[in-house]
Amino acid sequence: MDSPHVDAQRSGAGDDPVRHSGLTTGSGGTKTTRDTVSELLQRFAAGDPGKISDLYAEQVAWKLDWPPGDYSQTVPWICDRSTRAGVADHFRLIAEHHVADRSSATVSAILVDGDDAVVLGELHNTARRTGRSYISAFALHLTVEEGLITRHHIYEDSLAVMQAFSA
């Protein structure tokens, strides 16, 4: 049995997908999954929650891979979401609770298979409230339909994040 074709892009020195400018489109002028993911990474880097959320469908399958529990007092962006407005709120809260000039992400690979993409990388952040820094490897599974993100599932080191924000 043949395995599905997976289009992989790895970033190396001078090949950071977050820094790519301009987008190409697939045949017919429609945005491909890779186009949308590349644009999302550019918008993450720019840090505008409204522009980030514009890439999401009105209804989103949203999952943050954290243990069950109420984290609203410590890390308030960790909660269930299902709408574009919720996506904007998520990224607004992340920005409010981190030190902007001490936050970055490194993307090591982008894997694309049809409508699905997986972004692999590492987050480097500092909690505003405690001043503690943390590093978290991540895998972000996205599904893109008609140029909009309909699934956002992220897997990250929740313990590292929680330790940085705990008093």
Side-chain angles (χ1 to χ4, degrees):
M1 178 196 297
D2 292 335
S3 60
H5 171 73
V6 176
D7 176 18
Q9 174 180 329
R10 298 202 176 272
S11 65
D15 186 26
D16 184 352
V18 173
R19 299 189 197 290
H20 287 175
S21 61
L23 290 175
T24 59
T25 56
S27 61
T30 59
K31 286 174 75 172
T32 67
T33 299
R34 181 171 298 284
D35 295 337
T36 301
V37 171
S38 294
E39 179 68 17
L40 178 67
L41 295 175
Q42 290 175 22
R43 291 182 188 196
F44 282 167
D48 182 332
K51 288 186 179 181
I52 292 169
S53 68
D54 286 345
L55 286 175
Y56 286 77
E58 286 296 333
Q59 295 297 307
V60 180
W62 185 270
K63 178 181 178 182
L64 304 176
D65 190 44
W66 279 58
D70 178 7
Y71 299 99
S72 61
Q73 297 303 307
T74 309
V75 284
W77 62 91
I78 303 299
C79 65
D80 292 333
R81 305 197 186 273
S82 61
T83 66
R84 181 181 290 158
V87 171
D89 190 50
H90 173 81
F91 290 106
R92 182 185 57 75
L93 287 167
I94 286 176
E96 285 178 11
H97 289 85
H98 288 87
V99 178
D101 63 349
R102 293 180 60 197
S103 295
S104 65
T106 303
V107 172
S108 57
I110 300 170
L111 311 171
V112 176
D113 183 13
D115 291 344
D116 289 299
V118 175
V119 180
L120 303 173
E122 197 170 75
L123 301 170
H124 300 255
N125 288 309
T126 299
R128 184 177 302 283
R129 185 167 50 91
T130 65
R132 290 190 204 119
S133 295
Y134 67 92
I135 297 171
S136 173
F138 73 88
L140 173 59
H141 178 193
L142 301 165
T143 300
V144 177
E145 298 173 13
E146 298 180 13
L148 294 174
I149 298 165
T150 59
R151 176 192 351 229
H152 177 113
H153 291 184
I154 188 143
Y155 306 88
E156 63 184 346
D157 185 350
S158 56
L159 180 59
V161 177
M162 198 63 176
Q163 286 176 335
F165 280 89
S166 296

